Each structure stands twice: as structure tokens, then as C-alpha cells.
Amino acid sequence: EKIELPQIYFAHQREVFQRNGMWLTAGDWGGPREDEKVEKRQVRYRTVGDMSCTGAVDSDAVTLKDVIAEIAASRLTERGATRADDKLSEAAMEDRKREGYF
């Protein structure tokens, strides 16, 4: 379809910290905490969301062909491994709706 993809789908160097087994980007939304170390890693985002609810994954996929190969080989779902709200609480998405996020 020749649709341009956002650059976050491709691996790049980013400053991230780990929380609940996910790499998150620092921001005013709540991270990192004092005990969470920020480090520079090559990551990509498997889904598009904002940095308060989407985690990154370690990746070397810098081209579309690389991304497709990575997805084909992965045993993790595209959303399941990186949706931070799911690890925060069972009702996190519902809480966001009530707060007017959606």
C-alpha cells in the first residue's frame, strides 16, 4: 500500500528505564522512579500509543523487512508484551477512559 510508517516502529537508540519487565521512556507521566535506572538501548515500539502506556522492546529491526521477520519469529503478541496499563492494574484502561484520555 506504500503507507509511510512511523519511525517508532523501527529500532533506534532511546533512553529508557525498566518497569514491570518493560522498557519505558521517561516523562512527566510518572517515570522513572528513584530506584529505576535510565539507560540507552536500541529499541522499537511494536504498537503506537503514548509513552505513558506503551513499552518498547529490544530490537535490531531497522527496515520493514527486519520488522516483519522479527514479528514472524516472536512468540509475544504485538500488544500483549508492551501495553503498560495491563501491568499497572486490571482496570487501568477503564480508569483512563474516565479521566478523559480517550
Side-chain angles (χ1 to χ4, degrees):
E1 305 265 341
K2 307 241 188 251
I3 297 171
E4 189 173 337
L5 295 176
Q7 287 302 304
I8 62 172
Y9 279 127
F10 303 101
H12 57 284
Q13 291 288 315
R14 181 178 283 275
E15 289 188 355
V16 292
F17 64 94
Q18 194 164 59
R19 180 181 296 164
N20 295 325
M22 285 185 296
W23 293 112
L24 301 173
T25 302
D28 294 337
W29 56 270
R33 298 177 187 138
E34 271 187 40
D35 63 332
E36 295 170 329
K37 180 184 163 203
V38 174
E39 57 185 278
K40 197 167 212 170
R41 299 183 69 89
Q42 182 155 320
V43 298
R44 78 176 190 87
Y45 289 87
R46 298 174 74 190
T47 63
V48 175
D50 73 26
M51 68 180 114
S52 70
C53 64
T54 304
V57 294
D58 289 309
S59 177
D60 293 320
V62 295
T63 67
L64 184 56
K65 185 177 179 180
D66 295 341
V67 170
I68 292 169
E70 184 178 276
I71 291 168
S74 178
R75 293 284 153 266
L76 300 172
T77 65
E78 287 295 287
R79 284 183 67 178
T82 60
R83 204 164 82 181
D85 277 346
D86 289 347
K87 297 183 188 241
L88 182 63
S89 77
E90 287 186 27
M93 286 298 231
E94 294 305 316
D95 292 342
R96 284 183 182 275
K97 288 176 190 174
R98 275 193 298 281
E99 294 167 3
Y101 180 79
F102 298 104

